[in-house]
Amino acid sequence: MYNSDWYNSLNTPLFMPPDWIFAPIWIILYLMIFASFWIFLKAESPVKKSLAILFFLVQLLLNFIWSTVFFTRMDIQGGLVIVIFMWIFILFTIIEFFKTSKLSSYLLIPYFLWVSFALYLNISFYILN
């Protein structure tokens, strides 16, 4: 269960966006992520897609795990480790998707940038708390 008292007690990083912005951004990003995956799956390609699919599924799993570790377990360090791996697997996914569909890879760039920002925030939370 999300512990808002714990989260609100944390020292916040510089450039911390307001809480209300996260939901709309994630809704848009998830739409782009799944559109990207759909386009990738439908694209005709001589390139094998299995590695790209594996990278996609790993980064998505890490995305879901991060919230549980950071907010429910209140584990900033664990969240940091997860977001680092998530960042790496999103990058791998973009590279692999590009081999099959440039559009599908381009749709993941805003997600990659947002997770880069989330990485900055998680590092900042770790340092400040």
Side-chain angles (χ1 to χ4, degrees):
M1 174 171 282
Y2 170 63
N3 187 332
S4 62
D5 292 336
W6 170 78
Y7 179 74
N8 291 331
S9 74
L10 295 175
N11 295 316
T12 57
L14 190 61
F15 305 117
M16 181 70 184
D19 290 343
W20 64 265
I21 198 94
F22 288 93
I25 287 176
W26 275 112
I27 290 168
I28 293 166
L29 290 175
Y30 280 128
L31 290 172
M32 293 175 75
I33 290 164
F34 289 108
S36 168
F37 191 57
W38 179 258
I39 291 166
F40 170 79
L41 290 176
K42 293 297 182 184
E44 295 291 327
S45 174
V47 177
K48 289 186 178 181
K49 295 181 179 182
S50 55
L51 185 60
I53 292 169
L54 176 65
F55 289 158
F56 179 84
L57 294 174
V58 169
Q59 66 78 24
L60 195 61
L61 177 64
L62 291 169
N63 183 317
F64 292 126
I65 291 171
W66 180 86
S67 295
T68 301
V69 170
F70 189 89
F71 290 110
T72 305
R73 291 187 52 211
M74 297 172 277
D75 183 355
I76 296 171
Q77 184 176 6
L80 179 56
V81 170
I82 290 168
V83 79
I84 289 169
F85 280 103
M86 185 170 64
W87 186 89
I88 292 167
F89 275 94
I90 294 167
L91 182 59
F92 288 168
T93 302
I94 290 170
I95 292 167
E96 288 299 312
F97 275 26
F98 189 83
K99 295 174 185 176
T100 299
S101 165
K102 289 178 178 59
L103 177 59
S104 67
S105 67
Y106 295 153
L107 284 169
L108 293 176
I109 292 173
Y111 175 43
F112 180 75
L113 294 174
W114 185 252
V115 171
S116 298
F117 182 62
L119 176 58
Y120 151 76
L121 292 175
N122 207 144
I123 290 169
S124 298
F125 274 118
Y126 181 71
I127 291 168
L128 294 170
N129 295 283

